[in-house]
Amino acid sequence: MTEMLAVTVITVLAVIAPGADFAMIVRNSYLYGRRTGLLAATGVAAGVLVHVTYTMLGVGLLIASSTFLFTVIKLIGAAYLVYIGVRTFRTRGEVKVDLEHKAELTPLAALRTGFLTNVLNPKTTLFVVSTFAQVVSPGTPVYQQVGYGLFMSLAHLVWFGVVALFFSQERMRTLMLRVQKVLNKVIGSVLAGLGISLAFAPSH
């Protein structure tokens, strides 16, 4: 239950924090409409599954081969959560988004844009690896790890689906960006606090 709660909280906060995926979904939704934004969000969710797959394999090998190295990765992951928490808290301005009109995106291109933006984003790699390093232990069943990964992907799909719906309308876009400034402070504080507490938590 503690593992599930940690995965839920970290995932939700990290997904909501602005980044490359957020900027890309905002742009596609604003320029091309709701459907294109939703397709891009689906691509992002698919990209997360790629990160989850290689992370599960890597963390499993670490646990089996070197407890010390796994502990080091766990501490680095906790430090990363503190880092992104502080960075998010200190973010003052709105997310910078290029809103110049370009050629129309096909459905496949919208999916591909979301997928590649996420897969090639090193921040997503660090997020998934650091989260798994905090919550996975030698006794965590594989099916439970798969469940964590599916939840991460679903959280991205739901959140960016909401972003696509909001940002396809200019009035809603302005409102959401205003709320985002307040969210940054809350998200940053909680993530940093989680990182610190997980770093000092006893190993499984």
Side-chain angles (χ1 to χ4, degrees), residues 174-188:
T174 303
L175 173 63
M176 196 168 186
L177 282 175
R178 190 179 301 136
V179 173
Q180 186 74 49
K181 292 179 179 180
V182 178
L183 281 176
N184 287 345
K185 303 298 183 186
V186 177
I187 293 169

Side-chain angles (χ1 to χ4, degrees), residues 57-103:
L57 294 174
V59 169
L61 288 173
L62 274 178
I63 290 175
S65 61
S66 174
T67 304
F68 172 75
L69 189 55
F70 177 69
T71 301
V72 171
I73 297 297
K74 176 183 174 72
L75 292 174
I76 292 173
Y80 175 69
L81 291 177
V82 174
Y83 169 74
I84 60 172
V86 172
R87 284 289 300 272
T88 303
F89 183 87
R90 295 178 63 182
T91 300
R92 295 177 181 175
E94 295 180 351
V95 178
K96 302 295 183 183
V97 182
D98 175 16
L99 294 177
E100 292 182 7
H101 288 275
K102 303 291 183 182

Side-chain angles (χ1 to χ4, degrees), residues 5-134:
L5 181 60
V7 170
T8 301
V9 174
I10 294 172
T11 298
V12 170
L13 294 177
V15 170
I16 294 175
D21 292 335
F22 185 82
M24 181 273 300
I25 297 293
V26 169
R27 182 181 185 280
N28 283 352
S29 303
Y30 186 72
L31 291 183
Y32 306 120
R34 183 176 302 174
R35 186 183 73 158
T36 299
L38 290 173
L39 286 170
T42 304
V44 168
V48 172
L49 292 178
V50 173
H51 294 290
V52 167
T53 300
Y54 68 69
T55 298
M56 278 184 61
L57 294 174
V59 169
L61 288 173
L62 274 178
I63 290 175
S65 61
S66 174
T67 304
F68 172 75
L69 189 55
F70 177 69
T71 301
V72 171
I73 297 297
K74 176 183 174 72
L75 292 174
I76 292 173
Y80 175 69
L81 291 177
V82 174
Y83 169 74
I84 60 172
V86 172
R87 284 289 300 272
T88 303
F89 183 87
R90 295 178 63 182
T91 300
R92 295 177 181 175
E94 295 180 351
V95 178
K96 302 295 183 183
V97 182
D98 175 16
L99 294 177
E100 292 182 7
H101 288 275
K102 303 291 183 182
E104 188 71 26
L105 282 180
T106 64
L108 181 60
L111 273 169
R112 185 173 61 246
T113 299
F115 180 77
L116 292 177
T117 299
N118 185 271
V119 165
L120 300 176
N121 186 357
K123 289 185 178 179
T124 306
T125 301
L126 290 169
F127 154 65
V128 176
V129 172
S130 62
T131 303
F132 265 79
Q134 301 313 310

Side-chain angles (χ1 to χ4, degrees), residues 146-159:
V146 171
Y148 294 156
L150 291 176
F151 173 75
M152 289 179 181
S153 178
L154 180 63
H156 279 76
L157 178 62
V158 171
W159 169 248

